[in-house]
Amino acid sequence: MQSRRQLLKTFTTLSLGGLSHSVFASGEDSTINELVDLLHTNASPQAVASDESYWNKVSRYYLKGTDTINLEQGYWGKMALPVEDEYIRLTRKINQEMAWYARKHWSDNFKQVKQTVARALGAEVNEIALTRNATESFVNLITQYKGLQKQDAVLWADVDYPSFQHMMQWLANEHKVEGIALSLPSSGSKQDFIDAYTAAFQQHPNLKLMLLTHTSNQHGLTLPVKEIAALAKSKGIDVICDCAQSWGLVNFKMDDLGVDWAVFNLHKWIGSPVGVGALYMKAGTLERVSPFPGEAGGNESAQNRVHIATSDFAAFLAVPHAIAFHFAIGGENKAERLRYLRSRWVDVANTLPNIEVLGAADVDGSSGMGGFRIKGQVTQPQVSALQQRLENEFGVFTVVRQDLASGCNIRVTPQVFTTLAEIDTFANALINIDKAL
């Protein structure tokens, strides 16, 4: 038990210059001890996933909205109450001390936060840059990438974040190289997706750079990144991995991916305040991406590939607290719980003749996020009408995603505080909708 507490305190207590403070606003060990107790179980993550008493304890640390059943938790992540309290405290403290703090302590504190992120990802600190979001990280990578020649090609897929797809097309146009948009199966197994990328690599031997999304914001599909990236690397293709949705939703470290570069949002499943992201650049790859204009040269650190200027100091300082809370729940416990919630409604949907479930067709590719639609109804007006029906008739809030090659779908995203009753309400809504067709 002591070793668990020491591990947790690695993430929960920082000495932040003039802002030295425990993660929890009370500064007491009672909350830390309770969180350690949450982890103190001999049960497997698969068993913990269905332990409602465990997740009831977790839920006490979140303030839920009451107007509707919110199954659109993928936009950004709710801060746990201890993280929110600390963020408010830090905001007040910085607003009081202003430039005195920023000039004297911010630089050291920023480095400490970056060390915490690197440790949590299993990366070296010089491989990590803190940014304001995954998009900023991605833009800096592709606009400063030095590897393209006129005979080259770049690749992206329909499961990628829509803005990133557009940016990859911009990159192709800007450098006058071939841009390849890959359409993946709307649903499939791990091998189906490996085969799709393998075929693309064979058909386009001039590929130099690719975007590979770990977990798709369209329908929650988690791709077998390590296998696909290994194939790409064997053909000399540089790989950017979009982990904006995956870190905290899926349990992994950087060695599990095997990519050159990766971009993150910490304000999604890690639960930091909005406005914090990260960039991973594997050691030995920095020379392929120019430093940000105006930043000092050199290939010692990923941080000089971005320039975040004056940002929300408190949001960055609260990151270790968000990571601590995530670790207190347990990364694999959290991932398995969210998969369990998805499987509860997907198992029902798969029995309904008029409902199509998208994304992962096996456990390997599943995450807590899912997607569905009525079979044959794939246009934006049709799927938007379905989303409105769920909201207005059944009190279930979801969101329409519309960038898959196969058409639009509804994304369904629970959180760790989502109850089985809420998932069952949604599943019953699907049953009623199916019956009416």
Side-chain angles (χ1 to χ4, degrees), residues 155 157-159 182-201 210 212-214 216 219-225 227-229 231 342 357-362 364-366 404:
L155 174 74
D158 65 329
V159 300
L182 178 63
S183 296
L184 294 177
S186 60
S187 179
S189 67
K190 174 181 177 179
Q191 193 59 49
D192 290 331
F193 297 110
I194 292 174
D195 290 346
Y197 278 98
T198 299
F201 298 158
M210 69 175 296
L212 184 60
T213 295
H214 192 192
S216 174
H219 47 33
L221 170 69
T222 298
L223 286 170
V225 167
E227 292 91 334
I228 296 169
L231 287 170
R342 176 187 180 272
V357 177
L358 283 75
D362 56 18
D364 286 336
S366 68
L404 295 175

Side-chain angles (χ1 to χ4, degrees), residues 58-64 73 76-91 266-276 312 314-319 321-323 325-326 329 334 415-417:
V58 171
S59 296
R60 294 206 304 263
Y61 294 99
Y62 293 90
L63 185 63
K64 291 176 62 174
Q73 302 288 343
W76 74 89
K78 186 184 291 292
M79 286 182 279
L81 288 172
V83 180
E84 179 185 286
D85 289 344
E86 187 67 2
Y87 175 53
I88 292 169
R89 186 193 70 82
L90 289 165
T91 300
L266 278 69
H267 53 239
K268 288 190 183 284
W269 296 100
I270 292 299
S272 82
V274 171
V276 183
D312 187 344
F316 283 93
L317 294 176
V319 164
H321 317 313
I323 290 175
F325 193 86
H326 170 74
I329 297 173
K334 187 173 170 182
Q415 248 286 9
V416 294
F417 46 77

